[in-house]
Amino acid sequence: MSSAERMGEGIGLDMAEDREDYILNKDHLFYWLRQLRKTAELIAPKRELSGEITFTTVVNIHDIALNYTAPILSTKHILFPQTDIMFKYSLKVPGKVQSTFNARKKVVFGVPSCGISALLIADRVFGNGYTDLYYFARRKNTIFVSIGCNNPLQTCFCYSLGTGPFLDHGFDIQLTDLGDRYFVQTGTDAGKTIIMQYRFLFDEADKEDYDDQYETMLTAQSKFEGRIDLELYRKKLENGQINEAFYEWTADRCFECGGCTYLCPLCLCFNIIDVEETAKSVTPEKSKDFLKTPSGERFRIWDSCMFAGFTKMAGGVNPHWNKKDRIKRWHYHKILYYPEKYNVFGCVGCGLCTITCPGKIDMANTVIRIKNL
Amino acid sequence: MNPYLPQAAEIMEIKRLSKDVKSFIVRFTDKEAMHSFKFMVGQFVMVSLWGVGESPISITSPPHEEDYLELCIKDAGRLTHYIHQLTNGDRIGIRGPYGNHFPLERLTRRDLLLAAGGIGIAPIRSVAAEVIRNRDLYNKVTIIYGARTPSDLIYSKELRKACLENNIRLLLTVDKGNNSWKGKTGFVSELCSELDLTTTIASALICGPHLMMESVTGRLINLGFSEDQIFLSLERQMRCGVGKCGHCYVNGKFVCEDGPVFNYSAIKRFL
Ligand SMILES: Cc1cc2nc3c(=O)[nH]c(=O)nc-3n(C[C@H](O)[C@H](O)[C@H](O)COP(=O)(O)OP(=O)(O)OC[C@H]3O[C@@H](n4cnc5c(N)ncnc54)[C@H](O)[C@@H]3O)c2cc1C
Ligand code: SF4
Ligand code: SF4
Ligand code: FES
């Protein structure tokens, strides 16, 4: 394996040399999306029967929820699905495996800025060392159209981290909702291309548009109430200022549901599992039967470090047996070690863990408590 | 190249080494793959059995052996139990090698201590073979190795012979002896009191269960070994082997990628 391959070089997106800004009349939006859907799978926020917003493949263009507050799920599943087939194996030719890459062209519309920020960090995780081809096969074929958040929720703290509510880079296309029209910014060549194909729908942005966009951005920023200071938490961790009793307190409140990790756009851990196509029940004593099983698949599936079995080794030894150690591990990873390795936190302040955590020991609540320790 | 894809390997020979340990001599079915497979002592491979899964297993044969790989596998759980049912000619999947290695190339002219506990002998056997091949490059060499009972001491005949021929001291111990066992009983760490290495120029390479590594390291430091001359091979649950799945993550390091071999001074905060 060449060193270039190992480093995941050449996999990042090409930034557009000169970025261009446009205006899209809201009346034209669905027409544009309809056109895009002719050549790519369109994924957009959809209101489910439960009322919650998920990012789903669009069947009916009118299902797209334009004015949603927060999705119930992040967009991580688009490049890193909850279950992802890695390859098929056939026992007729044991060992000959064929990798399965899902590289359909996709346009993801309506991603919040924190989702894009998470994506840029995930790129580094999947590209560091060995390149994860499953992730990047999708990455290279997916265009993200983000929408800056005009109305952040109380649970959001992207502004404290610089990961939202608007971005100045990293997006393919960023929209700002200006009421009757969208301010459209292009960040990459790929983003520019899908605008150029339908250039007649877009107007040049003029001075008033820039002013409105700037105003909208400032207003959104002013809506963040509390400042969640992850840097303070990091310093306290580094200096060993947070005692075990605090983590014991959190552990008492944790239900081990794994919700925080499943929802977090930067929790990227997984397990790897084989499934036989002929689901025979085979006992170890008859393990040769496996060799007769014609074929199957190996896939990966989201896993959670909040579960006790996550680190369990053969013989039953487990370095992170108790809940307290597992919660600590999660926090240390995001707050101490992400910055050490990537110079960013493993958290973009999306607040999804706050919405989900039944024990109220999500990232934001933890950090608020830490402030007073 | 997709790092998750295993390559087919055929089992050429199986040796039973103890009640629950077998050694498997395997060869990639693709000649080119066998020829281009290079590794260093202490590295591991991910071993697959279709329909069951995969596990990290150290390479126990010496790196200069180009025609085959030897894997020494303890029946410890699901996958390893299935592997123990296989016979000659059966095929498994192998990907790797992964991880870093014991830094033998940096330890020339030093005294060496190789310490193994239980199945930890698997990578240490490969280290010993490499040391023997370049015996002149090292000073005094001692191997200490312990297992539960005399019959759990695997490769012991072979080790005795090789050590005798190559001026290497071999100290064995068992937790629990039997009537025919004339050697020592007690934990591996207790053998440390018999070492006659010059600690100022000695390096230690250790692999074994957590407790064993902890106690041996403690002893060595008391004897005057310098912390940065102690190298430990850690075990963690592993799924991907390539620094992605997060299972082996410990204090900012991936054992599969940054390890499995760590310098004691770098990891003492979490050993
Ligand atoms: C770098 C490295 C090198 C290694 N080298 C070697 C080597 O050379 N030789 C060697 O023999 N070993 C080696 N190991 C250890 C080896 O990887 C493990 O013994 C092996 O992974 C066990 O896999 P398994 O599938 O057989 O066990 P598993 O099935 O994973 O079992 C692990 C433990 O969990 C329990 N368990 C499994 N499933 C469940 C469940 N559903 N519910 C509850 N409990 C469960 C099992 O009983 C067992 O105690 C190495 C490990 C590492 C990290
Ligand atoms: S830790 Fe919580 S707030 Fe931070 S990115 Fe993950 S889910 Fe969002
Ligand atoms: S969401 Fe809250 S309760 Fe559930 S595992 Fe995470 S910390 Fe524990
Ligand atoms: S085994 Fe997956 S990260 Fe180390």
Side-chain angles (χ1 to χ4, degrees), chain A residues 1 5-6 86-87 89 91 94-97 99 101 125-134 268-272 274 276 282-285 287-288 290-291 298 300 303 309-315 319 329 333 337 341, chain B residues 1-8 29 48-54 76-78 81-82 85-87 90-93 95 97-98 210 235-237 239-252 254 257-258 269:
Chain A
M1 191 173 294
E5 260 178 301
R6 274 188 56 102
M86 305 176 88
F87 56 79
Y89 56 82
L91 298 172
K96 268 255 183 292
V97 293
S99 32
F101 291 112
V125 175
F126 283 113
N128 180 62
Y130 288 90
T131 302
D132 190 291
L133 301 182
Y134 300 95
L268 305 170
C269 292
F270 57 85
N271 200 345
I272 298 179
D274 284 7
E276 304 148 69
V282 186
T283 59
E285 289 62 39
S287 75
K288 284 284 226 170
F290 274 110
L291 298 169
R298 177 164 294 172
R300 66 178 172 196
D303 205 345
F310 191 77
T311 48
K312 188 172 165 205
M313 296 184 285
R329 186 180 197 261
H333 190 182
Y337 302 128
K341 193 159 182 173
Chain B
M1 194 179 135
N2 185 350
Y4 299 106
L5 289 193
Q7 284 189 303
T29 51
S48 277
L49 191 56
W50 310 123
V52 187
E54 41 182 13
R78 206 172 112 78
H81 191 61
Y82 281 116
Q85 318 305 314
L86 300 179
T87 49
D90 285 342
R91 289 186 184 185
I92 56 176
R95 58 187 179 95
Y98 296 127
H210 186 99
E235 185 179 342
R236 281 292 181 277
Q237 184 187 135
R239 293 298 179 186
C240 70
V242 293
K244 304 283 183 238
C245 76
H247 283 262
C248 72
Y249 193 75
V250 35
N251 281 46
F254 290 106
E257 208 181 20
D258 303 312
R269 61 178 170 167

Side-chain angles (χ1 to χ4, degrees), chain A residues 31-55:
Chain A
Y31 177 79
W32 181 48
L33 292 179
R34 240 184 231 114
Q35 300 310 311
L36 292 180
R37 194 170 57 162
K38 287 184 180 158
T39 54
E41 180 185 344
L42 178 65
I43 298 173
K46 178 188 166 201
R47 196 169 297 281
E48 301 290 343
L49 286 176
S50 62
E52 280 145 352
I53 301 289
T54 59
F55 280 85

Side-chain angles (χ1 to χ4, degrees), chain B residues 9-229:
Chain B
E10 186 176 332
I11 298 176
M12 313 303 294
E13 194 187 333
I14 301 174
K15 290 181 268 187
R16 176 172 281 288
L17 302 180
S18 78
K19 194 165 77 300
D20 54 5
V21 180
K22 282 183 180 177
S23 124
F24 298 81
I25 309 280
V26 302
R27 189 180 291 162
F28 288 104
T29 51
D30 181 296
K31 269 212 182 86
E32 183 44 40
M34 189 70 244
H35 194 71
S36 58
F37 188 92
K38 299 269 177 287
F39 72 97
M40 286 182 281
V41 290
Q43 285 195 293
F44 66 93
V45 289
M46 294 300 289
V47 172
S48 277
L49 191 56
W50 310 123
V52 187
E54 41 182 13
S55 270
I57 298 292
S58 308
I59 304 167
T60 194
S61 43
H64 54 84
E65 196 56 74
E66 289 184 341
D67 296 336
Y68 67 87
L69 291 179
E70 183 164 350
L71 306 172
C72 166
I73 301 179
K74 178 172 165 172
D75 179 351
R78 206 172 112 78
L79 181 94
T80 47
H81 191 61
Y82 281 116
I83 290 194
H84 267 239
Q85 318 305 314
L86 300 179
T87 49
N88 289 349
D90 285 342
R91 289 186 184 185
I92 56 176
I94 290 183
R95 58 187 179 95
Y98 296 127
N100 66 358
H101 61 285
F102 283 110
L104 276 182
E105 70 284 358
R106 285 195 272 124
L107 306 180
T108 51
R109 290 195 303 277
R110 298 187 67 89
D111 281 4
L112 294 183
L113 171 68
L114 314 184
I119 193 68
I121 192 69
I124 295 296
R125 177 176 181 256
S126 180
V127 176
E130 193 63 2
V131 170
I132 287 169
R133 204 166 81 100
N134 301 302
R135 184 64 189 88
D136 299 344
L137 296 181
Y138 307 97
N139 236 18
K140 271 192 214 164
V141 181
T142 304
I143 299 177
I144 62 178
Y145 168 34
R148 276 169 302 174
T149 70
S151 58
D152 290 315
L153 281 171
I154 57 176
Y155 295 120
S156 58
K157 239 191 231 152
E158 166 197 306
L159 277 171
R160 277 204 186 90
K161 183 164 176 284
C163 288
L164 207 65
E165 286 169 1
N166 292 282
N167 184 26
I168 292 174
R169 233 180 127 206
L170 176 68
L171 303 170
L172 301 175
T173 184
V174 294
D175 298 350
K176 208 166 158 282
N178 57 19
N179 292 339
S180 55
W181 177 249
K182 308 238 159 32
K184 304 208 171 306
T185 55
F187 294 121
V188 185
S189 51
E190 289 163 30
L191 296 175
C192 293
S193 54
E194 295 177 37
L195 297 178
D196 61 353
L197 302 172
T198 312
T199 55
T200 46
I201 56 156
S203 304
L205 293 69
I206 314 175
C207 186
H210 186 99
L211 277 177
M212 169 265 177
M213 294 205 285
E214 211 172 41
S215 61
V216 169
T217 305
R219 290 287 188 108
L220 296 181
I221 285 173
N222 283 342
L223 286 175
F225 267 75
S226 98
E227 286 185 355
D228 63 7
Q229 286 303 328

Side-chain angles (χ1 to χ4, degrees), chain A residues 10-20 116 119-120 123-124 139 167-173 186-193:
Chain A
I11 271 193
L13 293 177
D14 300 324
M15 290 298 167
E17 279 193 1
D18 30 46
R19 293 153 57 158
E20 283 159 21
I116 302 291
L119 185 70
L120 299 175
D123 286 351
R124 301 193 214 172
R139 178 67 165 119
L167 297 177
D168 56 19
H169 76 285
F171 48 80
D172 291 314
I173 293 174
T186 53
T188 59
D189 289 336
K192 238 185 197 172
T193 305

